[in-house]
Amino acid sequence: MPRVATGNVYERRGKWFARLTIGAKKRQSFMLETCKDEESAMARLAILADLAAKLRKCGRDDIAPDIIKRAAVRDGKALDEVRKAVDMIASGQVVQKNLTPTIEQIGKRWTSGELADLHPDRVKRRRSAKTNRYVLDKYVYPMVGDVAIHKFTLDHAEAVMRSLPARLAPNSRRSVAQLMYRICSLAVLPLRHIAVHPLPRGFVPRYQAGKAKGWLYPDEDAMLLGCTQVPLEWRLFYGFLHREGMRRSEALHTRWSDIDLDLGVIVLDVNKTDEPRAWALSPGVVAALRAWREHCAARGVRVSGDAPVFVYDEGSQKGQRLTTSDTAGRFRGHLELAGVRRPELFARTETRMRIRLHDTRATFVTLALANGRTEAWVQDRTGHKSSDMINRYRRAARTAAELGLKECRPLHEAIPELAPRMGAEQARTKERAAERAPRSRRRPSPSVAIQPRSAGLATPGQKDQNCSPRR
């Protein structure tokens, strides 16, 4: 139960003031215009403290300063009206209209998806809502969560940025600034709680290139996919990402209904950028997925409709979608298990990051550009919207081209468990194609006898070759 705010009174230049705690340890002073002596000031202080306690108990500290300010200057019937209004608010009979919400209240309505449901034309549902909630809960709400949006200023935002840990990366700091800027934008439109955005346009720091990131060479990819000590489902998943360039989350949520293995095409309607895209899968990926489907079906795993493509192959989780927890650590562990030892892949320094699962996109883009693929071809698969994102890989692509690195081996050939299955299926496909091929109606030409040289048809000046007789 909240502690009753007793407060104190004092006189300054002939006027009496009451000082008491409002909200979360915020002491404020209120002028008592109708009080002429200490006795009347103390009586009014008791009334104000009672009102503050009632508002705190019902969780309405946000409106307490305005109401207590009115009670401090009113007397008689006007004061009774204020006290009656507080009693009605405390009992839940009255909800104040046009209440300006706090930063935390707007942020929670946004990350919960409520604003996306109410204003679908203005607010899109974010798939990164879980991450956004974590950042706001950790860095923003403890500092300015209880600040009403109409009182939020640049000073509040700068205080949040100053409170961030020194170890936080520049782009992580930028994400915090972006979230605060977005909450204020929502308050302007569509919520219309404020008319002017409180943060200037240049408040959000620019994106920084950051640390160097790793990518795999084709022979390292072959080592990883060929290591049978690494579970088959993870090798298929890694190889798919290296050859198609999709985001981790996009691939994990891919369903069998999204892929047409007869045509070799994938349709990705739901993705991070909310821009549907489709493209032709590489032949090796199509062959590997066809073999994987047969493999899963033989184990009793559903392989049709909305069933996920990348699932656990065995164990208690058999048939369930691959987990998203600690994918970076698992990826590095599988690389080490496969014998990939290149130092820069595992080094963590001030200028370099350890390789992550997300860097499979870097492997795909780098090798694709190095082997002459166009920027549009790459964007169709990765979903990048701007050339700036692709340009970050061009330097590494030039290095790969100078080293003569080719694209990764076909996926069905790189995974030993899938290669025999594909070999038999490919043979059956060729047999069916040969049966369907039209037969030639031309009659074979009559054979012509070849006379040996000893028959005297070759002159001494001719080369040693058979000569046909004239017809």
Side-chain angles (χ1 to χ4, degrees), residues 145-406:
D146 60 343
V147 177
I149 187 61
H150 70 285
K151 295 183 178 180
F152 185 78
T153 64
L154 179 60
D155 293 335
H156 290 104
E158 291 290 356
V160 173
M161 300 303 292
R162 287 194 298 269
S163 68
L164 297 179
R167 57 178 174 78
L168 213 58
N171 289 331
S172 297
R173 298 176 61 89
R174 180 175 184 270
S175 298
V176 177
Q178 279 183 316
L179 292 176
M180 288 192 291
Y181 196 91
R182 179 56 175 161
I183 289 176
C184 294
S185 299
L186 293 172
V188 176
L189 195 68
L191 297 180
R192 294 187 291 180
H193 292 307
I194 53 178
V196 180
H197 201 295
L199 302 179
R201 186 175 296 274
F203 171 74
V204 178
R206 291 188 176 182
Y207 179 85
Q208 297 188 20
K211 298 182 179 181
K213 302 175 180 63
W215 54 279
L216 292 186
Y217 297 159
D219 58 342
E220 293 171 336
D221 167 81
M223 293 172 62
L224 174 62
L225 302 190
C227 179
T228 56
Q229 294 179 334
V230 177
L232 172 61
E233 61 268 22
W234 285 107
R235 282 182 285 147
L236 176 71
F237 184 57
Y238 299 149
F240 179 84
L241 295 179
H242 286 158
R243 287 155 180 80
E244 298 301 330
M246 292 173 62
R247 296 178 179 89
R248 174 197 64 179
S249 58
E250 295 172 346
L252 285 177
H253 288 86
T254 299
R255 304 164 298 180
W256 285 109
S257 59
D258 299 329
I259 301 176
D260 187 339
L261 292 180
D262 294 330
L263 295 178
V265 64
I266 182 172
V267 178
L268 196 65
D269 288 340
V270 180
N271 53 73
K272 179 181 178 181
T273 58
D274 294 325
E275 184 176 342
R277 60 186 193 271
W279 67 91
L281 297 169
S282 62
V285 169
V286 174
L289 290 179
R290 190 178 288 118
W292 172 248
R293 185 175 62 179
E294 292 184 359
H295 174 82
C296 292
R299 289 176 172 261
V301 177
R302 192 163 67 94
V303 291
S304 61
D306 60 351
V309 175
F310 299 101
V311 297
Y312 285 100
D313 183 41
E314 55 187 10
S316 61
Q317 294 180 303
K318 184 175 72 171
Q320 298 181 18
R321 182 184 291 115
L322 297 181
T323 181
T324 58
S325 61
D326 193 27
T327 52
R330 182 184 292 105
F331 183 50
R332 289 190 293 267
H334 288 165
L335 286 173
E336 293 178 342
L337 188 62
V340 178
R341 297 286 187 269
R342 187 151 53 98
E344 56 264 34
L345 297 179
F346 306 95
R348 174 188 283 177
T349 64
E350 295 182 356
T351 58
R352 177 170 293 277
M353 295 177 58
R354 295 185 296 177
I355 193 168
R356 310 157 299 166
L357 182 61
H358 185 72
D359 295 326
T360 54
R361 284 163 65 81
T363 300
F364 168 79
V365 177
T366 300
L367 295 179
L369 295 177
N371 286 274
R373 299 291 189 180
T374 64
E375 181 178 309
W377 187 91
V378 172
Q379 287 179 323
D380 288 343
R381 288 149 179 80
T382 60
H384 288 129
K385 286 190 172 183
S386 65
S387 298
D388 294 339
M389 299 297 295
I390 303 297
N391 288 333
R392 297 175 187 174
Y393 303 99
R394 292 195 183 278
R395 178 175 296 178
R398 289 194 294 270
T399 301
E402 292 174 356
L403 295 175
L405 300 182
K406 302 300 181 182

Side-chain angles (χ1 to χ4, degrees), residues 416-460:
E417 294 90 333
L418 303 183
R421 293 176 177 270
M422 186 52 207
E425 184 177 351
Q426 194 172 27
R428 291 195 300 270
T429 303
K430 289 183 178 180
E431 291 177 1
R432 290 194 295 266
E435 293 176 356
R436 292 194 298 266
R439 297 180 180 179
S440 175
R441 297 183 179 179
R442 295 181 59 184
R443 295 181 179 179
S445 58
S447 59
V448 179
I450 304 300
Q451 300 293 334
R453 182 179 179 184
S454 59
L457 299 176
T459 61

Side-chain angles (χ1 to χ4, degrees), residues 94-123:
V94 174
V95 178
Q96 185 174 351
K97 296 181 179 180
N98 300 324
L99 176 65
T100 304
T102 63
I103 292 291
E104 184 173 0
Q105 290 172 339
I106 297 177
K108 288 184 175 180
R109 293 183 66 191
W110 173 44
T111 55
S112 66
E114 178 186 345
L115 296 183
D117 295 335
L118 295 176
H119 309 279
D121 297 329
R122 299 287 184 181
V123 185

